[in-house]
Amino acid sequence: MGDLSENADYHKAKEDQGFLEGRIQEIEAVLRTAVIVEKTHSDVVIVGSRVTVQEDNYDPEVYDVVGVKEPIRAKTRYPTSPHRKSPDGS
């Protein structure tokens, strides 16, 4: 029987392995159900749209509308976001 520190390292490695295996399963599920969104020029905002908003005397701001599994980065909006509003503010 090994000493306690070897045992702790083993248990930590098993815990890390379990986490990584779960993450792999999650990513595989996302990839199985992924849908490629074709870019179009339209007046309708959908996932994959890039929207430019300009108010009065302010500089224009560009936002990408992304799905909930997309990595968070600056200037993105989720379709289910509480900040979701139409360009007219409604």
Side-chain angles (χ1 to χ4, degrees):
M1 204 150 145
D3 69 19
L4 206 48
S5 66
E6 288 176 4
N7 228 357
D9 290 343
Y10 172 79
H11 288 293
K12 175 67 173 137
K14 290 296 279 183
E15 183 181 304
D16 291 348
Q17 179 183 10
F19 172 79
L20 291 174
E21 287 175 357
R23 184 74 176 119
I24 289 168
Q25 288 176 356
E26 181 183 340
I27 292 170
E28 286 175 340
V30 167
L31 292 173
R32 270 194 307 276
T33 60
V35 176
I36 296 174
V37 177
E38 297 293 329
K39 291 189 177 193
T40 62
H41 297 283
S42 171
D43 292 337
V44 177
V45 176
I46 61 171
V47 171
S49 295
R50 177 165 284 165
V51 180
T52 303
V53 178
Q54 183 172 10
E55 297 180 53
D56 298 328
N57 296 324
Y58 295 96
D59 290 337
E61 294 183 22
V62 178
Y63 294 92
D64 294 321
V65 180
V66 299
V68 295
K69 292 289 186 177
E70 293 282 332
I72 296 174
R73 59 185 193 273
K75 302 290 186 182
T76 59
R77 286 287 183 256
Y78 299 117
T80 56
S81 168
H83 304 289
R84 181 180 69 187
K85 291 185 177 180
S86 67
D88 68 1
S90 59

